[in-house]
């Protein structure tokens, strides 16, 4: 009976360990903390990316000084003053606040999946550790690195779709509830 118990325990251990798979690598290990209440339409650019009925619109969120900056892959941009509450909380927009994060609903699934990515090229940043590889966004829902020229599909988990093989975009946990955006790790 002890022998069977040993085999059962060994099988359970293997099953538990193999269950992790790629899921543990789906989200970035870098800190990201951003909660933004957009219920008063503080940022029309961000509101367009937070709308599940307009998938494929992605918005870059950056921060510098007393302002948040928002710009979409469709050319809409605006600047919003930080509120007193914004100035009192700890905010980390991924790897580097001045290049920020990219948020929006993908257009491949129904219902649409909401994504939040770091705006740094994961491959160039991973190789150098320098936050100077900001991705540019295209209207087709891709992001491209000006250094390595990889293209990433923001509607499909940030996977590389053109250029050398490599890591997909660094992804963060994100939710939209009402007009409140919450991105964290």
């Amino acid at each position: 009976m002890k022998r069977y118990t040993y085999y059962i325990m060994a099988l359970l251990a293997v099953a538990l360990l193999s269950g992790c798979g790629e899921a543990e690598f789906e989200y970035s290990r870098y800190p990201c903390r951003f909660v933004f209440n957009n219920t008063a339409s503080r940022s029309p650019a961000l509101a367009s990316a937070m709308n599940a009925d307009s998938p494929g619109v992605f918005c870059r969120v950056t921060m510098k000084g007393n302002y948040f900056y928002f710009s979409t892959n469709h050319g809409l941009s605006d600047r919003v003053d930080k509120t007193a509450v914004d100035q009192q909380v700890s905010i980390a927009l991924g790897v580097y606040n001045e290049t920020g994060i990219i948020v929006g609903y993908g257009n491949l699934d129904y219902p649409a999946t909401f994504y939040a990515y770091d705006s740094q090229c994961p491959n160039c940043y991973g190789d150098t550790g320098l936050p100077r590889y900001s991705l540019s966004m295209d209207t087709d829902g891709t992001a491209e690195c000006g250094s390595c020229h990889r293209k990433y599909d923001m509607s499909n988990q940030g996977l590389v779709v053109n250029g050398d093989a490599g890591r997909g975009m660094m992804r963060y946990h994100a939710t939209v509830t009402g007009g409140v955006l919450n991105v964290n790790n």
Side-chain angles (χ1 to χ4, degrees), residues 51-151:
N51 184 352
D53 292 331
S54 57
V57 176
F58 291 90
C59 182
R60 181 186 315 272
V61 180
T62 60
M63 176 176 69
K64 188 172 183 181
N66 290 323
Y67 300 102
F68 293 114
Y69 296 88
F70 303 95
S71 59
T72 70
N73 59 330
H74 291 279
L76 183 60
S77 63
D78 51 54
R79 178 183 83 176
V80 175
D81 294 336
K82 287 184 183 177
T83 65
V85 172
D86 293 333
Q87 293 179 7
Q88 292 176 350
V89 297
S90 175
I91 297 171
L93 295 177
V95 170
Y96 185 50
N97 288 334
E98 291 185 27
T99 56
I101 57 175
I102 299 171
V103 298
Y105 281 96
N107 60 10
L108 297 179
D109 300 321
Y110 185 82
T113 301
F114 190 76
Y115 292 105
Y117 302 108
D118 200 288
S119 68
Q120 289 290 314
C121 174
N123 295 286
C124 293
Y125 178 75
D127 291 346
T128 67
L130 300 173
R132 62 178 182 200
Y133 301 101
S134 182
L135 298 169
S136 62
M137 297 185 296
D138 231 340
T139 57
D140 66 357
T142 60
E144 184 174 0
C145 176
S147 180
C148 70
H149 304 290
R150 286 180 178 92
K151 271 195 168 188

